[in-house]
Amino acid sequence: MKNNFLKKTLVLAVSASVFAASAAVPGFADEQNAEIEQGVCEALLNISAATAPFQLPVLPKTVIGLDQNGETAGEFAVTWESIERSMFASVGSIVVVQGSAVIDDSLTLPVTCSVRVAEASYDITGETNAAPAAVLSQSIEDPSLQSDELASIVNGNKEIVDNTSERWSNYNNRNNSNIVSLSFSWDAPHQINSADLVYYWDNRTAVYPAGIWFEYSMDGTEYSSVGYEENEISRAENGLGGEYVYTFTEAVEANTLRITFLSPTNAEGEANCVALIEAELEGVKGTVVPQTSSELNAIYVDGTEAEEKGDSRHFTGEAAAAADEAVITADAEENAAYTVLPAVEEDDRKIVRVVTVSEDGNDSSVYEIEVTEKECLHKDSELRNAKEASCTEDGYSGDLWCNTCQKIVQEGESVPAFGHAFEVRNAVDPTCTEDGYSGDYYCARENAFLASGYAVPARGHYYAGEVTKPATCKEDGVLTYRCNACDSSYTEVIPKLAHAWDNGTDIVKASKTSTGLRLYRCGSCGVTRTEVIAKLASKMTPSAGIFTGKGSVSPKIKLTGFFREFTEKDECYEVVSHGIIFIQKSKLGNKELTIGTAGRTNVSFKESAYKEDGSFSATFTARSASSDYVARAYIRYIDEDGNYVYTYSRAVTVNYKNA
């Protein structure tokens, strides 16, 4: 019976959550181009699919309609309910997406797509640059503050040149924020191993970042950080940049990778920027392989498992009601989609067909269930011997009599007397100050007096407050209470409000030698007051000590120095980094050697680099025995205005001869 309903039928092929409505039909290669004969559409062919976590499945625009025999009854445009990535977060879950299609002006039928969420698999031999396939975005939202060409960093051009159309930077936004992020987003998950970044530098503002962070996310909302090992690959001969590879401590699985840069400041406290020529992400796209089976494990008729009849495609089952009204359900293997067609009558038998389609759309089956009615459904029945109950006498619900089998299907039961239908008469509502009356009790059915009522005490006043005169900074207000039931009222005083002082305006600036004066004004009434501003505190020196440097040869040039701690640390700035910079004297010329000098080499020190006595050293190989080098130590701290400040030791000139 397998596939015989598919004559001249198109089957939706599903591969990696992408639906293709023009796929070949198994067993009907010669009829793929045949004209579809449309019958009366009784149901829409349900489908299934597979997708990776947080990946939206691509739902088809049209679905196949089936007649009651399981043959094609047309192809119809489908409208699916809206879906979100968060619906597909849990691996192993089945998300049923509801849809519907308009068959004609009087008929709209439902359809479903059962989406299985599965782990994505990655071909480790297919490592490639994932960056060009991503959607790029930056944290600078204002277009007027965006610089250069963001799209240029994924065009494959690594040549380091001074060309604004071949780089991206945060130059225009550098004075607003020293933090900027780039995001790479994909529709499908990717496994990312490393990032290859080509930077652009100049002699003005574009420099290597002071800090860089990598974060990844599956849903674009919740992010996790990943560590990395940084390696300098090369530097441009023109001095305009360099290439660095950041190898992650572990491969990350993500739909979004975010790179955040910290822009440094120069020695004068001016903001620098970060610029990129190219960004490459080593990674591979994840895929989900759809399942291939259209088999059903079991079929149920009104909740009871149907029995096989001859082979695995034919079943029998009993319906609790008529066969046309039987509820047919199934347990599908490998998330196969199934569609239950309306019952048809064949040779005095009621037949229900179930059409199945595999996840990949390449396998389908038809199951037949012969549905029989259980012994006498007592459709032709009536109620006999019923007697209504009264206020004081019991009644009888009556016996259910089947006219088909001529017997009592269900015996009745006694109906207790329902008692009097109480009705209240002569009631008087109480007022705030006068009693009322609950009323006398009568039976409405018999119009008989049953009992007298009782007095209802006066309810008292129900006061509600209303501000009739708002309080101000200068005057009290009035709160008036009025009774909701009568005209009674009384008032209370609302104490006047406190002044609503603003943040104040400095009318005399404070200095290191004299106090200032700040004026505060009440926003409600305009009253003013003044406050003395304390003298400004003096700026303190950094807490991390002073570096000095000198040369030595063993046999390379070795720079040594000493790091001294200050005893009064609470009065000093906190040092955030320190190290040694050096450069060939011929390249430096008459310029001063600073952290921003082009071509300089920077050796930064960790706390573990210092000996117990506070001394440090750095060794490098000179180009020749006669090459002179200029070197100096530095420390970097953040002042009270949040600016990065560098402090340097004296510069020394060293080579093989005098080191």
Side-chain angles (χ1 to χ4, degrees):
M1 194 65 195
K2 185 174 182 179
N3 290 336
N4 64 359
F5 86 104
L6 291 175
K7 187 175 183 181
K8 299 181 181 178
T9 299
L10 294 179
V11 175
L12 298 176
V14 185
S15 178
S17 301
V18 177
F19 297 82
S22 60
V25 180
F28 292 92
D30 296 337
E31 296 184 20
Q32 290 183 43
N33 299 319
E35 182 180 353
I36 298 176
E37 297 178 359
Q38 296 191 2
V40 177
C41 183
E42 296 285 352
L44 298 176
L45 182 65
N46 295 324
I47 55 177
S48 61
T51 189
F54 294 101
Q55 180 181 349
L56 289 175
V58 180
L59 303 176
K61 296 181 179 179
T62 60
V63 292
I64 297 297
L66 302 175
D67 64 14
Q68 63 183 4
N69 294 315
E71 296 183 352
T72 295
E75 188 173 358
F76 302 93
V78 61
T79 300
W80 298 101
E81 66 179 354
S82 60
I83 55 178
E84 299 178 354
R85 292 183 185 274
S86 59
M87 297 170 60
F88 307 94
S90 179
V91 173
S93 63
I94 303 293
V95 181
V96 179
V97 182
Q98 303 289 341
S100 62
V102 176
I103 308 306
D104 55 39
D105 294 339
S106 61
L107 179 62
T108 298
L109 293 178
V111 66
T112 63
C113 179
S114 301
V115 183
R116 177 176 58 91
V117 183
E119 289 281 5
S121 60
Y122 299 91
D123 181 7
I124 61 175
T125 63
E127 295 178 349
T128 184
N129 180 15
V135 175
L136 280 177
S137 62
Q138 58 183 308
S139 60
I140 305 172
E141 297 181 356
D142 188 346
S144 66
L145 297 177
Q146 296 174 1
S147 308
D148 308 324
E149 296 293 336
L150 177 60
S152 69
I153 68 172
V154 293
N155 64 5
N157 185 4
K158 287 187 174 183
E159 184 180 1
I160 303 176
V161 294
D162 187 4
N163 184 345
T164 57
S165 64
E166 280 296 333
R167 68 172 181 244
W168 163 89
S169 74
N170 66 324
Y171 177 83
N172 289 346
N173 195 53
R174 71 190 191 284
N175 292 316
N176 295 318
S177 174
N178 62 345
I179 297 290
V180 63
S181 297
L182 296 180
S183 294
F184 300 77
S185 300
W186 302 271
D187 288 335
H190 280 64
Q191 189 179 77
I192 307 300
N193 299 308
S194 65
D196 185 346
L197 304 182
V198 181
Y199 293 96
Y200 169 80
W201 303 323
D202 57 23
N203 295 324
R204 300 179 301 278
T205 57
V207 297
Y208 186 79
I212 182 170
W213 298 269
F214 293 91
E215 299 169 288
Y216 61 97
S217 172
M218 288 297 289
D219 59 3
T221 302
E222 298 292 334
Y223 283 84
S224 301
S225 298
V226 62
Y228 61 87
E229 178 182 333
E230 174 187 349
N231 288 291
E232 180 182 313
I233 302 302
S234 63
R235 293 203 178 205
E237 294 182 358
N238 57 15
L240 293 180
E243 182 176 0
Y244 289 75
V245 169
Y246 305 86
T247 303
F248 297 164
T249 54
E250 59 180 348
V252 299
E253 184 178 8
N255 281 335
T256 299
L257 182 75
R258 184 167 66 191
I259 308 175
T260 301
F261 302 97
L262 173 64
S263 300
T265 55
N266 60 25
E268 289 74 31
E270 297 173 338
N272 289 120
C273 69
V274 175
L276 286 181
I277 294 293
E278 187 73 10
E280 293 184 352
L281 303 177
E282 182 185 339
V284 61
K285 179 179 179 180
T287 58
V288 173
V289 178
Q291 299 181 123
T292 59
S293 173
S294 64
E295 298 295 316
L296 296 179
N297 294 321
I299 297 176
Y300 302 89
V301 179
D302 288 341
T304 301
E305 185 173 354
E307 296 182 359
E308 289 189 8
K309 181 184 177 183
D311 59 50
S312 60
R313 292 293 182 269
H314 292 75
F315 292 79
T316 61
E318 284 189 337
D324 294 339
E325 301 171 0
V327 177
I328 308 298
T329 56
D331 178 16
E333 187 174 292
E334 294 189 359
N335 193 34
Y338 68 90
T339 305
V340 179
L341 300 176
V344 295
E345 187 167 347
E346 296 180 358
D347 300 328
D348 297 327
R349 299 181 305 150
K350 292 290 186 178
I351 303 298
V352 176
R353 291 186 172 88
V354 178
V355 180
T356 66
V357 179
S358 61
E359 256 188 12
D360 65 358
N362 293 325
D363 188 41
S364 59
S365 302
V366 176
Y367 294 81
E368 285 188 357
I369 307 99
E370 181 181 344
V371 181
T372 59
E373 297 180 4
K374 292 183 179 179
E375 182 180 356
C376 192
L377 298 177
H378 307 303
K379 291 184 178 181
D380 184 12
S381 59
E382 62 181 73
L383 194 65
R384 296 183 180 181
N385 307 321
K387 177 185 175 183
E388 291 187 359
S390 67
C391 295
T392 56
E393 293 184 359
D394 293 343
Y396 186 67
S397 64
D399 301 317
L400 186 62
W401 177 263
C402 179
N403 292 321
T404 302
C405 58
Q406 293 294 304
K407 64 181 180 181
I408 294 176
V409 177
Q410 182 177 0
E411 293 184 353
E413 57 185 18
S414 176
V415 179
F418 39 71
H420 293 293
F422 290 102
E423 181 181 69
V424 177
R425 300 177 184 177
N426 309 319
V428 177
D429 291 334
T431 67
C432 297
T433 56
E434 295 182 358
D435 293 343
Y437 183 64
S438 66
D440 301 317
Y441 292 93
Y442 286 77
C443 177
R445 295 188 185 92
E446 300 175 350
N447 194 28
F449 174 80
L450 300 176
S452 298
Y454 55 88
V456 180
R459 59 176 176 252
H461 294 294
Y462 294 95
Y463 288 110
E466 178 185 5
V467 177
T468 53
K469 179 183 177 182
T472 67
C473 302
K474 297 180 179 180
E475 294 182 348
D476 293 338
V478 177
L479 179 60
T480 301
Y481 291 89
R482 293 188 176 88
C483 179
N484 291 330
C486 66
D487 295 331
S488 177
S489 66
Y490 68 94
T491 61
E492 288 184 356
V493 174
I494 304 174
K496 63 182 179 181
L497 304 175
H499 291 298
W501 301 112
D502 62 10
N503 294 328
T505 302
D506 292 350
I507 56 177
V508 177
K509 298 290 186 179
S511 67
K512 296 180 182 178
T513 58
S514 62
T515 60
L517 190 64
R518 183 169 295 147
L519 176 67
Y520 295 89
R521 187 179 302 276
C522 176
S524 300
C525 67
V527 171
T528 61
R529 66 178 177 86
T530 58
E531 181 181 279
V532 174
I533 306 172
K535 295 179 182 179
L536 298 178
S538 299
K539 295 182 178 179
M540 307 303 293
T541 55
S543 64
I546 300 298
F547 285 97
T548 59
K550 68 177 183 177
S552 64
V553 181
S554 181
K556 300 179 181 180
I557 295 179
K558 182 178 183 182
L559 299 175
T560 62
F562 185 78
F563 177 75
R564 176 167 58 88
E565 291 280 359
F566 280 92
T567 58
E568 299 297 333
K569 290 187 178 181
D570 292 341
E571 300 179 359
C572 300
Y573 300 124
E574 180 183 359
V575 169
V576 295
S577 64
H578 30 78
I580 294 176
I581 52 176
F582 58 88
I583 192 173
Q584 279 187 278
K585 186 174 182 180
S586 59
K587 292 184 178 180
L588 180 63
N590 294 324
K591 298 191 298 293
E592 182 184 12
L593 176 59
T594 68
I595 197 73
T597 300
R600 61 96 181 101
T601 298
N602 177 26
V603 179
S604 60
F605 291 102
K606 299 181 180 178
E607 188 174 330
S608 58
Y610 296 95
K611 297 181 180 179
E612 187 174 346
D613 62 355
S615 62
F616 62 88
S617 65
T619 303
F620 66 95
T621 303
R623 295 182 63 88
S624 67
S626 60
S627 295
D628 289 330
Y629 285 82
V630 177
R632 68 191 312 187
Y634 72 87
I635 57 176
R636 185 176 68 150
Y637 62 92
I638 303 176
D639 65 16
E640 68 275 6
D641 295 325
N643 298 315
Y644 285 107
V645 180
Y646 286 85
T647 298
Y648 301 92
S649 70
R650 65 181 181 83
V652 295
T653 301
V654 295
N655 59 24
Y656 275 121
K657 299 177 180 179
N658 63 15

